[in-house]
């Protein structure tokens, strides 16, 4: 049995904030596209510029498990640095691209870096800080996506008025590569008996062991639903609010960011609450809030849009931090990287399905957003809560 008291862990907030900065720089590259999508469509002759976003989730679905196996071999910190360099090189390639195909390929390279850091960063945090602080560490890390998205939207909008999109690509590449070196010189492997123990299981049956773990599968499938709900809410609430005449287009666009804004404050706090009172309890509550928030947001009123988004952001967004913190509890530290890889298949799968499934659902509901949500999101949220309640862990 490991003696954690003899390990010199790095300070929790120090590690988590550095990883947050590094991860947010990757997300900065992810969300640089939407603001300039019209310009890209025109300059690069893109028939469907949305492919520059969907290629990220597609790459994530394919390469999540291979990424985990690579991380097992070379170590999570090394692969975080490699992820940043891949994103940077992809951005540089994109800035130099002269055709739509080359630009799409560059986004696939960036997407590969994105899935690598998605899987590796939680493992870096889990192995660098004290086990009793895993929840708050993951809670801080969990805001990497909203933080990066908010910066990307605002910074890209500010820069595009004075420089070209290709220059923006190059600037973001430099930021990400620079932060990879910050990671190298600041995050150190803990010293002590725990650090000297093997961190990953060396056995051919590891994948089978994971797939046979009912508690792990329940957690992954419920988290897949959570991501399905999140993307449906943040992606479609602006068009719903504008088309229904609930809000003006500018306000409707802002409403789509409310979940992410609330997350910046709530996720670290709820991560600490999970450490204190039990991660499973907080995770189940978060899933209930996610389903309830989604239903209220699409209920058909201005108040509902904001109330549902706030419920989702302040309570529902506890889910990422708590479930990522619980992975090691569920599968054991030796399977942590591989389990995180499978978890992100669920993450990307849920996000991908949310964008693919909603249009047919909306058509089947005769264009009624509320009915479409009630047909899919609400039943799935109930299933997710049941799955999370079945899973056994603390």
């Amino acid at each position: 049995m490991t003696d954690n008291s003899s390990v010199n862990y790095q300070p929790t907030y120090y590690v988590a904030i550095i990883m947050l900065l590094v991860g947010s720089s990757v997300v900065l590259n992810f969300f640089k596209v939407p603001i300039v999508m019209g310009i890209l469509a025109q300059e690069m002759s893109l028939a469907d510029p949305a492919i520059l976003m969907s290629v990220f989730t597609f790459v994530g679905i394919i390469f999540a498990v291979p990424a985990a196996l690579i991380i097992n071999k070379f170590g999570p910190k090394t692969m975080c640095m490699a992820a940043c360099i891949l994103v940077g090189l992809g951005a540089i390639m994109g800035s130099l691209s002269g055709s739509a195909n080359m630009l799409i390929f560059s986004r696939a390279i960036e997407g590969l870096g994105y899935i690598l850091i998605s899987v590796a960063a939680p493992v870096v945090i889990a192995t660098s800080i004290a086990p009793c602080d895993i929840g708050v560490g993951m809670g801080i890390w969990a805001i990497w996506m909203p933080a990066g998205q908010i910066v990307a939207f605002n910074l890209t909008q500010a820069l595009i008025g004075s420089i070209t999109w290709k220059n923006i690509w190059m600037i973001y590449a430099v930021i990400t590569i620079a932060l990879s070196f910050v990671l190298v010189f600041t995050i150190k492997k803990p010293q002590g008996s725990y650090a000297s123990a093997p961190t990953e299981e060396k056995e051919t049956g590891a994948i089978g062991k994971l797939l046979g773990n009912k508690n792990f599968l329940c957690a992954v499938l419920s988290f897949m639903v959570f991501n399905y709900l999140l993307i449906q809410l943040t992606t479609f609430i602006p068009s719903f609010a504008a088309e229904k005449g609930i809000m003006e287009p500018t306000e409707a666009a802002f409403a789509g960011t409310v979940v992410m804004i609330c997350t910046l404050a709530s996720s670290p706090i709820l991560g600490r609450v999970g450490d204190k009172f039990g991660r499973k309890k907080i995770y189940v509550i978060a899933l209930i809030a996610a389903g309830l928030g989604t239903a209220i947001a699409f209920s058909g009123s201005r108040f509902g849009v904001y109330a549902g988004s706030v419920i989702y952001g302040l309570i529902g967004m506890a889910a990422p931090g708590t479930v990522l913190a619980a992975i090691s509890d569920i599968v054991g530290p030796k399977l942590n990287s591989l389990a995180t890889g499978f978890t992100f298949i669920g993450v990307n799968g849920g996000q991908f399905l949310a964008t693919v499934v909603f249009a047919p659902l909306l058509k089947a509901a005769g264009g009624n957003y509320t009915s479409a949500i009630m047909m899919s999101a609400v039943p799935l949220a109930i299933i997710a809560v049941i799955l999370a309640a079945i899973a056994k862990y603390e």
Side-chain angles (χ1 to χ4, degrees), residues 19-30 84 87 117 144 148 172 175-177 179-180:
M19 295 308 300
L20 170 62
L21 291 172
V22 173
S24 295
S25 75
V26 172
V27 178
L28 181 66
N29 287 272
F30 185 3
C84 292
V87 171
I117 200 164
W144 71 303
Y172 291 179
I175 291 172
T176 305
I177 292 173
L179 281 169
S180 74

Side-chain angles (χ1 to χ4, degrees), residues 228-229 232-233 236-237 240 291 294-299 358 361-362 365 368-380:
Y228 176 92
L229 298 174
Q232 284 205 337
L233 177 55
F236 299 110
I237 204 68
F240 164 71
T294 302
I296 292 173
F298 285 94
S299 62
F358 193 73
L361 283 173
L362 188 61
N368 188 310
Y369 282 83
T370 304
S371 296
I373 288 296
M374 293 301 173
M375 287 166 55
S376 63
V378 173
L380 286 174

Side-chain angles (χ1 to χ4, degrees), residues 148 258 286:
V258 169

